[in-house]
Coordinates of all heavy atoms in Angstrom, one line a residue:
T430 N 0.0 -3.4 7.1 CA -1.2 -2.6 6.6 C -1.2 -2.6 5.1 O -2.1 -2.0 4.5 CB -1.1 -1.1 7.1 OG1 0.0 -0.5 6.5 CG2 -1.1 -1.0 8.6
Y431 N -0.2 -3.1 4.4 CA -0.2 -3.1 3.0 C -1.3 -3.9 2.4 O -1.6 -5.0 2.7 CB 1.1 -3.8 2.5 CG 1.3 -3.9 1.0 CD1 1.5 -2.8 0.2 CD2 1.2 -5.2 0.4 CE1 1.6 -3.0 -1.2 CE2 1.3 -5.3 -1.0 CZ 1.5 -4.2 -1.8 OH 1.6 -4.3 -3.1
Q432 N -2.0 -3.2 1.5 CA -3.1 -3.8 0.7 C -2.9 -3.4 -0.7 O -3.0 -2.2 -1.1 CB -4.4 -3.3 1.2 CG -5.2 -4.3 2.0 CD -6.5 -3.8 2.4 OE1 -6.6 -2.6 2.8 NE2 -7.6 -4.6 2.3
Y433 N -2.6 -4.4 -1.5 CA -2.3 -4.1 -2.9 C -3.3 -3.2 -3.6 O -3.0 -2.2 -4.1 CB -2.0 -5.4 -3.7 CG -1.9 -5.1 -5.1 CD1 -0.8 -4.4 -5.7 CD2 -2.9 -5.5 -6.0 CE1 -0.8 -4.2 -7.0 CE2 -2.9 -5.2 -7.3 CZ -1.8 -4.6 -7.8 OH -1.7 -4.3 -9.2
S434 N -4.5 -3.7 -3.6 CA -5.5 -3.1 -4.5 C -5.9 -1.7 -3.9 O -6.0 -0.7 -4.7 CB -6.8 -3.9 -4.6 OG -7.2 -4.2 -3.3
K435 N -6.0 -1.6 -2.6 CA -6.3 -0.3 -2.0 C -5.3 0.7 -2.3 O -5.6 1.8 -2.7 CB -6.4 -0.5 -0.5 CG -7.2 0.6 0.2 CD -7.4 0.3 1.6 CE -7.6 1.5 2.4 NZ -7.2 1.4 3.8
Q436 N -4.0 0.3 -2.2 CA -2.9 1.2 -2.5 C -3.0 1.7 -4.0 O -2.9 2.8 -4.3 CB -1.6 0.5 -2.3 CG -1.3 0.3 -0.9 CD -0.1 1.1 -0.5 OE1 0.5 1.9 -1.2 NE2 0.4 1.0 0.8
A437 N -3.3 0.7 -4.9 CA -3.4 1.0 -6.3 C -4.4 2.0 -6.5 O -4.3 3.0 -7.3 CB -3.6 -0.3 -7.1
L438 N -5.6 1.8 -5.8 CA -6.7 2.8 -6.0 C -6.2 4.2 -5.5 O -6.5 5.2 -6.2 CB -7.9 2.3 -5.1 CG -8.7 1.3 -5.8 CD1 -9.7 0.7 -4.7 CD2 -9.5 1.8 -6.9
Q439 N -5.6 4.2 -4.4 CA -5.1 5.5 -3.8 C -4.2 6.2 -4.8 O -4.2 7.4 -4.8 CB -4.5 5.3 -2.5 CG -5.5 5.1 -1.3 CD -4.8 4.7 -0.1 OE1 -3.6 4.4 0.0 NE2 -5.6 4.6 1.0
Q440 N -3.4 5.5 -5.5 CA -2.5 6.1 -6.4 C -3.3 6.6 -7.7 O -2.7 7.1 -8.6 CB -1.4 5.1 -6.8 CG -0.6 4.6 -5.7 CD 0.3 5.7 -5.1 OE1 0.7 6.6 -5.9 NE2 0.7 5.7 -3.9
G441 N -4.5 6.3 -7.7 CA -5.3 6.8 -8.8 C -5.0 6.2 -10.2 O -5.0 6.9 -11.2
I442 N -4.8 4.9 -10.2 CA -4.5 4.3 -11.4 C -5.8 3.9 -12.1 O -6.6 3.2 -11.6 CB -3.6 3.0 -11.2 CG1 -2.3 3.4 -10.6 CG2 -3.4 2.2 -12.4 CD1 -1.7 2.4 -9.8
A443 N -5.9 4.4 -13.3 CA -7.2 4.2 -14.0 C -7.6 2.8 -14.2 O -8.8 2.4 -14.2 CB -7.1 4.9 -15.4
L444 N -6.6 1.9 -14.3 CA -6.9 0.5 -14.6 C -7.8 -0.1 -13.5 O -8.6 -1.0 -13.7 CB -5.6 -0.3 -14.7 CG -5.7 -1.7 -15.2 CD1 -5.9 -1.7 -16.7 CD2 -4.4 -2.5 -14.8
Y445 N -7.6 0.4 -12.2 CA -8.3 -0.2 -11.1 C -9.4 0.7 -10.7 O -9.2 1.7 -9.9 CB -7.4 -0.5 -9.9 CG -6.3 -1.5 -10.3 CD1 -5.1 -1.1 -10.8 CD2 -6.6 -2.8 -10.1 CE1 -4.2 -2.0 -11.1 CE2 -5.7 -3.8 -10.4 CZ -4.5 -3.4 -10.9 OH -3.5 -4.3 -11.3
T446 N -10.6 0.5 -11.2 CA -11.7 1.3 -10.7 C -12.3 0.5 -9.6 O -12.0 -0.7 -9.4 CB -12.8 1.5 -11.8 OG1 -13.3 0.2 -12.1 CG2 -12.1 2.1 -13.1
K447 N -13.2 1.1 -8.8 CA -13.8 0.5 -7.7 C -14.5 -0.8 -8.1 O -14.5 -1.8 -7.4 CB -14.7 1.4 -7.0 CG -14.2 1.9 -5.6 CD -15.3 2.4 -4.7 CE -14.9 2.6 -3.3 NZ -13.9 3.7 -3.2
D448 N -15.1 -0.8 -9.3 CA -15.9 -1.9 -9.7 C -15.1 -3.1 -10.1 O -15.5 -4.2 -9.8 CB -16.8 -1.4 -10.9 CG -17.7 -0.3 -10.4 OD1 -18.1 -0.3 -9.2 OD2 -18.1 0.6 -11.2
N449 N -14.0 -2.9 -10.8 CA -13.4 -4.1 -11.3 C -12.3 -4.5 -10.3 O -11.6 -5.5 -10.6 CB -12.8 -3.9 -12.7 CG -11.5 -3.0 -12.7 OD1 -10.9 -2.7 -11.7 ND2 -11.2 -2.5 -13.9
C450 N -12.2 -3.8 -9.2 CA -11.1 -4.2 -8.3 C -11.7 -5.1 -7.2 O -12.2 -4.6 -6.2 CB -10.6 -2.9 -7.7 SG -9.2 -3.3 -6.6
S451 N -11.6 -6.4 -7.4 CA -12.3 -7.3 -6.5 C -11.2 -8.0 -5.6 O -11.5 -8.9 -4.9 CB -13.1 -8.3 -7.3 OG -12.2 -9.0 -8.2
K452 N -10.0 -7.6 -5.7 CA -8.9 -8.3 -5.0 C -8.7 -7.7 -3.6 O -7.5 -7.5 -3.2 CB -7.6 -8.3 -5.8 CG -7.7 -9.3 -7.0 CD -7.9 -10.7 -6.6 CE -6.7 -11.3 -5.9 NZ -7.0 -12.7 -5.4
D453 N -9.7 -7.4 -2.9 CA -9.5 -6.9 -1.6 C -9.5 -8.0 -0.5 O -9.9 -7.8 0.6 CB -10.6 -5.8 -1.2 CG -10.0 -4.4 -1.3 OD1 -8.8 -4.3 -0.9 OD2 -10.7 -3.5 -1.6
T454 N -9.1 -9.2 -1.0 CA -9.2 -10.3 -0.1 C -8.3 -10.3 1.1 O -8.6 -10.8 2.1 CB -8.9 -11.6 -0.9 OG1 -7.8 -11.4 -1.7 CG2 -10.1 -11.9 -1.8
D455 N -7.1 -9.7 0.9 CA -6.1 -9.7 2.0 C -6.4 -8.7 3.0 O -5.7 -7.8 3.3 CB -4.7 -9.5 1.4 CG -3.7 -9.9 2.4 OD1 -4.0 -10.7 3.3 OD2 -2.5 -9.4 2.2
K456 N -7.6 -8.9 3.7 CA -8.0 -7.9 4.7 C -7.1 -7.8 5.9 O -6.6 -8.8 6.3 CB -9.4 -8.3 5.2 CG -10.5 -7.9 4.2 CD -11.1 -6.6 4.5 CE -12.3 -6.3 3.7 NZ -12.0 -6.1 2.3
H457 N -6.9 -6.7 6.4 CA -6.1 -6.6 7.6 C -6.9 -5.8 8.6 O -7.9 -5.1 8.3 CB -4.8 -5.9 7.4 CG -4.9 -4.5 6.8 ND1 -5.2 -3.5 7.6 CD2 -4.8 -4.1 5.6 CE1 -5.3 -2.4 6.8 NE2 -5.0 -2.7 5.6
T458 N -6.5 -5.9 9.9 CA -7.2 -5.2 10.9 C -7.1 -3.7 10.8 O -6.1 -3.2 10.3 CB -6.7 -5.7 12.3 OG1 -7.5 -5.2 13.3 CG2 -5.2 -5.3 12.5
P459 N -8.1 -2.9 11.1 CA -8.1 -1.5 10.8 C -7.3 -0.7 11.9 O -7.8 0.2 12.5 CB -9.6 -1.1 10.9 CG -10.2 -2.1 11.9 CD -9.4 -3.4 11.7
L460 N -6.1 -1.2 12.1 CA -5.3 -0.6 13.2 C -5.0 0.9 13.0 O -4.6 1.3 12.0 CB -4.0 -1.4 13.2 CG -3.3 -1.7 14.5 CD1 -4.2 -2.3 15.5 CD2 -2.1 -2.6 14.3
E461 N -5.3 1.6 14.1 CA -5.1 3.1 14.0 C -4.0 3.5 15.0 O -3.3 4.5 14.8 CB -6.4 3.8 14.3 CG -7.3 3.8 13.1 CD -8.7 4.3 13.5 OE1 -8.9 4.8 14.6 OE2 -9.6 4.2 12.6
K462 N -4.0 2.8 16.1 CA -3.1 3.3 17.2 C -2.5 2.1 17.9 O -3.2 1.1 18.1 CB -3.9 4.1 18.2 CG -3.0 4.7 19.2 CD -3.8 5.7 20.1 CE -2.9 6.2 21.2 NZ -3.6 7.1 22.1
V463 N -1.3 2.2 18.2 CA -0.6 1.1 19.0 C 0.1 1.7 20.2 O 0.9 2.6 20.0 CB 0.4 0.3 18.2 CG1 1.1 -0.7 19.0 CG2 -0.3 -0.3 17.0
S464 N -0.3 1.3 21.4 CA 0.4 1.8 22.6 C 1.3 0.7 23.1 O 0.9 -0.4 23.4 CB -0.6 2.1 23.7 OG -1.6 3.0 23.2
C465 N 2.6 1.0 23.2 CA 3.5 0.0 23.7 C 3.8 0.2 25.2 O 4.3 1.3 25.5 CB 4.8 0.1 22.9 SG 4.6 -0.2 21.2
I466 N 3.4 -0.7 26.0 CA 3.6 -0.6 27.4 C 5.0 -1.0 27.7 O 5.3 -2.2 27.6 CB 2.6 -1.3 28.2 CG1 1.2 -0.8 27.8 CG2 2.8 -1.2 29.7 CD1 0.2 -1.8 27.2
V467 N 5.8 -0.1 28.1 CA 7.2 -0.5 28.4 C 7.4 -0.3 29.9 O 6.9 0.6 30.5 CB 8.2 0.4 27.7 CG1 8.3 0.1 26.2 CG2 8.0 1.9 27.9
N468 N 8.0 -1.3 30.5 CA 8.2 -1.2 31.9 C 9.5 -0.5 32.3 O 10.0 0.3 31.5 CB 8.2 -2.6 32.6 CG 8.9 -3.6 31.7 OD1 9.8 -3.2 30.9 ND2 8.5 -4.8 31.7
Q469 N 10.0 -0.7 33.5 CA 11.1 0.1 34.0 C 12.4 0.1 33.1 O 13.2 0.9 33.3 CB 11.4 -0.3 35.4 CG 10.2 -0.3 36.4 CD 9.4 -1.6 36.2 OE1 9.3 -2.2 35.1 NE2 8.7 -2.0 37.3
T470 N 12.4 -0.9 32.2 CA 13.7 -1.1 31.5 C 14.0 0.1 30.6 O 15.1 0.3 30.1 CB 13.7 -2.3 30.6 OG1 12.4 -2.4 30.0 CG2 14.0 -3.6 31.5
I471 N 13.0 0.9 30.3 CA 13.3 2.1 29.5 C 12.7 3.3 30.2 O 11.6 3.4 30.7 CB 12.6 2.0 28.1 CG1 13.0 3.2 27.2 CG2 11.1 1.9 28.2 CD1 12.7 2.9 25.8
N472 N 13.6 4.3 30.4 CA 13.0 5.5 31.1 C 13.1 6.7 30.2 O 12.5 7.7 30.5 CB 13.7 5.8 32.4 CG 15.1 5.1 32.5 OD1 15.8 5.0 31.5 ND2 15.5 4.7 33.7
D473 N 13.8 6.6 29.0 CA 13.8 7.7 28.1 C 12.7 7.6 27.1 O 12.8 6.8 26.2 CB 15.1 7.8 27.4 CG 15.2 9.0 26.5 OD1 14.2 9.7 26.3 OD2 16.4 9.3 26.0
E474 N 11.6 8.3 27.3 CA 10.4 8.1 26.5 C 10.7 8.5 25.1 O 10.2 7.9 24.1 CB 9.3 8.9 27.1 CG 7.9 8.5 26.6 CD 6.8 9.3 27.3 OE1 6.9 9.5 28.5 OE2 5.9 9.7 26.6
Q475 N 11.4 9.6 24.9 CA 11.7 10.1 23.6 C 12.4 9.0 22.7 O 12.1 8.8 21.6 CB 12.6 11.3 23.7 CG 12.8 12.1 22.3 CD 11.4 12.5 21.7 OE1 10.5 12.9 22.4 NE2 11.3 12.3 20.4
Q476 N 13.4 8.4 23.4 CA 14.1 7.3 22.7 C 13.2 6.2 22.2 O 13.3 5.7 21.1 CB 15.2 6.7 23.6 CG 16.3 6.0 23.0 CD 17.2 5.3 24.0 OE1 17.1 5.5 25.2 NE2 18.0 4.4 23.5
G477 N 12.2 5.9 23.0 CA 11.3 4.8 22.7 C 10.4 5.3 21.5 O 10.2 4.5 20.5
N478 N 9.9 6.5 21.6 CA 9.1 7.0 20.5 C 9.9 7.1 19.2 O 9.3 6.9 18.1 CB 8.4 8.3 20.9 CG 7.3 8.1 21.9 OD1 6.8 7.0 22.0 ND2 7.1 9.1 22.8
D479 N 11.1 7.5 19.3 CA 12.0 7.6 18.1 C 12.1 6.3 17.4 O 12.0 6.1 16.2 CB 13.4 8.1 18.4 CG 13.3 9.6 18.7 OD1 12.3 10.3 18.5 OD2 14.4 10.2 19.2
A480 N 12.3 5.2 18.2 CA 12.5 3.9 17.7 C 11.2 3.4 17.0 O 11.2 2.8 15.9 CB 12.8 2.9 18.8
L481 N 10.0 3.8 17.6 CA 8.8 3.4 17.0 C 8.6 4.1 15.6 O 8.2 3.6 14.6 CB 7.6 3.8 17.9 CG 7.4 2.9 19.1 CD1 6.5 3.5 20.1 CD2 6.9 1.5 18.7
F482 N 8.9 5.4 15.6 CA 8.8 6.2 14.4 C 9.7 5.7 13.3 O 9.3 5.6 12.1 CB 9.0 7.7 14.7 CG 8.9 8.6 13.5 CD1 7.7 8.7 12.8 CD2 10.0 9.3 13.0 CE1 7.5 9.5 11.7 CE2 9.9 10.1 11.8 CZ 8.6 10.2 11.2
L483 N 10.9 5.4 13.7 CA 11.8 4.8 12.7 C 11.3 3.5 12.1 O 11.4 3.3 10.9 CB 13.2 4.6 13.4 CG 14.4 4.8 12.5 CD1 14.5 6.2 11.9 CD2 15.7 4.4 13.3
G484 N 10.8 2.7 12.9 CA 10.3 1.4 12.5 C 9.1 1.6 11.6 O 9.0 0.9 10.5
A485 N 8.2 2.5 12.0 CA 7.0 2.7 11.1 C 7.4 3.3 9.8 O 6.8 3.0 8.7 CB 6.0 3.7 11.9
S486 N 8.4 4.2 9.8 CA 8.8 4.8 8.5 C 9.4 3.7 7.6 O 9.2 3.7 6.4 CB 9.9 5.9 8.7 OG 9.4 6.8 9.6
L487 N 10.1 2.8 8.2 CA 10.7 1.7 7.4 C 9.6 0.9 6.8 O 9.6 0.4 5.7 CB 11.6 0.9 8.3 CG 12.5 -0.2 7.6 CD1 13.3 0.4 6.5 CD2 13.3 -1.0 8.6
G488 N 8.5 0.7 7.6 CA 7.4 -0.1 7.1 C 6.8 0.6 5.9 O 6.4 -0.1 5.0
M489 N 6.7 1.9 6.0 CA 6.1 2.7 4.8 C 7.0 2.5 3.6 O 6.5 2.3 2.5 CB 6.0 4.1 5.2 CG 4.9 4.5 6.1 SD 4.8 6.3 6.4 CE 3.9 6.8 4.9
G490 N 8.3 2.6 3.8 CA 9.3 2.5 2.7 C 9.1 1.1 2.1 O 9.1 0.9 0.8
V491 N 9.1 0.1 2.9 CA 9.0 -1.3 2.4 C 7.7 -1.5 1.6 O 7.6 -2.1 0.6 CB 9.1 -2.3 3.6 CG1 8.4 -3.6 3.3 CG2 10.5 -2.5 4.0

Side-chain angles (χ1 to χ4, degrees):
T430 64
Y431 175 71
Q432 251 180 321
Y433 167 70
S434 54
K435 195 173 158 210
Q436 287 245 5
L438 280 168
Q439 279 169 355
Q440 299 289 333
I442 294 153
L444 191 75
Y445 296 92
T446 66
K447 252 203 168 67
D448 298 328
N449 74 16
C450 182
S451 56
K452 284 301 287 178
D453 253 329
T454 46
D455 193 23
K456 282 267 184 293
H457 60 78
T458 187
L460 213 51
E461 287 169 5
K462 185 173 175 183
V463 177
S464 303
C465 301
I466 300 123
V467 289
N468 39 27
Q469 306 81 330
T470 42
I471 187 167
N472 21 34
D473 185 349
E474 201 177 316
Q475 191 55 40
Q476 198 189 348
N478 287 335
D479 286 352
L481 286 169
F482 179 63
L483 211 61
S486 306
L487 188 59
M489 284 181 83
V491 158

